[in-house]
Amino acid sequence: MSNGIPFVSGGKSPQEGGHFEEFSQHPAFFLMRAWRECGELAEFDMGGRNTVLMVGPEAHEAVFRVDDEKVSAREAYQFMVPIFGQGVQYGAPLDIERQQLRMHSRGLASEKMNHYAPVIAQEAEQWIAGWGEQGEMDFYEGFADLTIKTSTHCLLGAEFRNSLTGEFASLYHTLGAAADAGGLQDPQAQKTAYEARDAARARLEELITERVEQRRASGEVHPDLLQVYMDATYSDGRHLSTSEIAGMIVWFMFAGHHTSANTAAWVLVELARHPELAREVVAEVDQVMGSDDALDLRVLRRMSVLEGFIRETLRVHPPLNTLTRRVIEDFEYKGHVIEKGKNVMLCPYVAHRLESSFPQADTFDPHRPAPDNPFALIPFGGGQRKCVGNAFAILQVKVIFSVLLHHYEFDLAGPPGSYAEIMPSLILRPSDPCVLRYRRRKA
Ligand code: HEM
């Protein structure tokens, strides 16, 4: 026990890493065990740094509302700095980071989203054009590949997308491999992976810099995020440096790519697991896609059944499950003091399985009403650090499924239970391979 907070059983000695080994095998499952055993607050040892899991809407609200200076995301996520680069996000002073977040938001304003929707639809149509009448595919891989195309197309423009080579995807993959549970424990721990990460980051910056310089030389103005970053100025009138622009792009792609690809893969698995519900979604898609209206925000708003399906998928399979903060000043919650130097952690996977917030939480129910407390459902986090890309993420998955479901139907290729939840990195994903069958729908 520590300050009345129950300590999770089963950890090794601090010298042997405490609970770190069990945690890193499957963070969401470990946190679920911690919650079942200890309840609202559960303390464990992440190999020298004690961490307190906080569960439930009240606990989430307390963490989301406290000042970053007291309970800090930036301190906990310092291991991301070499991935995004110095000078952006947690590698920049807080005031600069806030301005950068506003720049991201500007790139996702409604008029931009209206530009992105047809771009995403075009990519999805191009993808299915090569499918033929029927077949089988690893859709985890498929969606990862599709969303790298949609992200680069929306973020960096058509020219970059059209010159996209395997190199970009592979560099990006190398960066992703460096963002694992080890970073939460000791940012310096894995030297080899981190050397590869630094080389990949440097090469990505070269590729993005080339693109920025080409665009500057051409004098052209494009309706994408790259343009937003190129035109943006800080409050002192300074423009972003090319290195900062590269960092902004890597940051944004990183935050949005695997999270969206995973969500798409789970949506497909859940549609195939629930044919009755899938029929409702397809009927709505057909109705909207059958009209002559261009696919924009207004039209997408008419797809409420599909949206409910996506949101329920995010409840059951939230991609990010270790929302972490470093306690800078002792943090009091319900009479317990969490001492400075410890981490606190929120876990959507656990939060979304609370019967008090989600009756019959084990049932997949896309018609379930939103919980009364806005801090109960937290796939996108909350408070000041809530995901800035949440509307874009929903838009992207909605557009992809509007196209896919209008043309194809899908079946599981294995037993429903074989699509397991794994966490080889800090993102929850379906197990490998995630194969489904597709068949062209009859006209
Ligand atoms: C289904 C897809 C997505 C999920 C589940 C998701 C989830 C989250 C969560 C939980 C956080 C907060 C992390 C924390 O509090 O520690 C976050 C932050 C963030 N997300 Fe997303 N996200 C998704 C898609 C996207 C997309 C598509 C973008 C960009 C277009 C994006 C950009 C960001 C950014 C920039 C932040 C950082 C905010 C900050 O540093 O304060 N996300 N996301």
Side-chain angles (χ1 to χ4, degrees):
M1 298 279 277
S2 143
N3 290 329
I5 299 177
F7 203 75
V8 179
S9 66
K12 295 183 176 169
S13 70
Q15 296 71 31
E16 293 172 302
H19 296 91
F20 181 70
E21 193 180 319
E22 186 187 347
F23 176 91
S24 53
Q25 277 164 9
H26 198 308
F29 287 2
F30 170 75
L31 295 171
M32 202 62 198
R33 176 173 93 73
W35 167 69
R36 284 208 175 101
E37 183 178 300
C38 303
E40 188 180 22
L41 301 177
E43 184 155 345
F44 54 95
D45 175 5
M46 281 281 279
R49 187 174 306 278
N50 277 19
T51 298
V52 176
L53 169 70
M54 301 181 64
V55 180
E58 275 179 274
H60 305 155
E61 183 171 0
V63 174
F64 286 139
R65 286 204 191 278
V66 67
D67 279 354
D68 209 71
E69 286 84 351
K70 293 184 179 159
V71 176
S72 162
R74 82 177 16 241
E75 288 305 318
Y77 293 138
Q78 276 300 304
F79 67 100
M80 299 304 285
V81 173
I83 296 179
F84 301 146
Q86 290 295 338
V88 293
Q89 201 209 23
Y90 305 124
L94 189 59
D95 170 51
I96 294 290
E97 187 209 344
R98 288 198 171 129
Q99 295 186 50
Q100 291 172 344
L101 276 168
R102 284 197 290 275
M103 293 173 196
H104 285 322
S105 302
R106 218 172 298 147
L108 297 173
S110 302
E111 76 277 6
K112 297 276 178 213
M113 300 274 255
N114 274 333
H115 165 70
Y116 300 147
V119 169
I120 298 164
Q122 183 196 333
E123 289 290 350
E125 271 154 19
Q126 215 167 305
W127 186 33
I128 62 171
W131 284 12
E133 285 306 305
Q134 56 183 341
E136 278 193 0
M137 194 189 301
D138 182 335
F139 275 91
Y140 177 78
E141 297 294 335
F143 284 123
D145 189 50
L146 174 67
T147 49
I148 208 156
K149 289 174 179 154
T150 54
S151 307
T152 45
H153 202 153
C154 294
L155 285 169
L156 299 164
E159 294 143 71
F160 193 96
R161 156 65 184 95
N162 294 334
S163 62
L164 190 66
T165 61
E167 188 192 7
F168 190 89
S170 124
L171 291 168
Y172 186 70
H173 180 79
T174 307
L175 275 187
D180 65 8
L184 287 175
Q185 183 202 31
D186 173 7
Q188 297 311 319
Q190 300 170 31
K191 285 259 176 311
T192 326
Y194 292 168
E195 278 164 20
R197 170 201 68 195
D198 294 343
R201 171 68 180 74
R203 177 67 184 135
L204 269 175
E205 180 163 333
E206 268 175 29
L207 289 173
I208 293 169
T209 302
E210 257 172 46
R211 183 76 201 91
V212 171
E213 281 166 1
Q214 273 167 13
R215 188 174 288 188
R216 282 211 176 107
S218 75
E220 288 171 12
V221 174
H222 292 257
D224 53 29
L225 255 168
L226 177 59
Q227 195 70 47
V228 173
Y229 300 143
M230 286 173 63
D231 294 345
T233 50
Y234 291 112
S235 50
D236 63 1
R238 180 173 74 80
H239 277 92
L240 275 71
S241 67
T242 316
S243 168
E244 283 172 319
I245 293 178
M248 294 286 278
I249 288 168
V250 175
W251 170 15
F252 219 47
M253 291 234 357
F254 211 82
H257 173 231
H258 281 295
T259 43
S260 302
N262 269 284
T263 305
W266 281 120
V267 167
L268 192 61
V269 169
E270 293 298 353
L271 282 165
R273 274 177 176 164
H274 300 96
E276 287 286 305
L277 297 170
R279 273 193 280 282
E280 270 182 69
V281 175
V282 171
E284 180 187 74
V285 164
D286 283 350
Q287 195 183 16
V288 177
M289 297 293 278
S291 74
D292 290 334
D293 300 332
L295 208 54
D296 59 12
L297 279 181
R298 196 178 45 86
V299 168
L300 285 164
R301 254 182 233 122
R302 305 215 298 261
M303 298 197 194
S304 58
V305 180
L306 175 58
E307 179 152 341
F309 202 95
I310 297 168
R311 291 194 185 277
E312 178 69 349
T313 303
L314 281 167
R315 179 186 74 82
V316 178
H317 310 289
L320 296 185
N321 287 294
T322 54
L323 312 189
T324 310
R325 307 288 185 263
R326 176 73 40 80
V327 179
I328 308 293
E329 284 177 21
D330 285 1
F331 176 45
E332 198 180 328
Y333 179 71
K334 291 192 179 172
H336 301 280
V337 177
I338 303 169
E339 297 91 344
K340 69 175 181 187
K342 292 184 177 176
N343 279 349
V344 291
M345 194 175 275
L346 308 185
C347 179
Y349 188 85
V350 176
H352 296 172
R353 282 162 173 75
L354 295 180
E355 283 288 325
S356 47
S357 303
F358 305 97
Q360 299 190 298
D362 288 341
T363 306
F364 186 92
D365 177 8
H367 300 297
R368 132 187 340 272
D372 296 337
N373 189 320
F375 293 98
L377 186 62
I378 53 166
F380 294 110
Q384 282 191 3
R385 295 217 164 260
K386 186 168 179 178
C387 176
V388 292
N390 72 81
F392 178 76
I394 299 282
L395 169 110
Q396 159 141 283
V397 180
K398 251 176 150 176
V399 172
I400 290 173
F401 278 92
S402 307
V403 173
L404 261 52
L405 296 174
H406 196 48
H407 297 282
Y408 283 93
E409 53 196 20
F410 300 88
D411 287 315
L412 299 175
S418 64
Y419 299 79
E421 294 168 316
I422 61 167
M423 260 188 109
S425 68
L426 286 176
I427 298 191
L428 182 83
R429 52 157 286 184
S431 52
D432 218 3
C434 179
V435 178
L436 285 97
R437 280 192 289 268
Y438 59 86
R439 196 174 322 104
R440 198 192 297 279
R441 291 176 60 203
K442 295 192 181 67

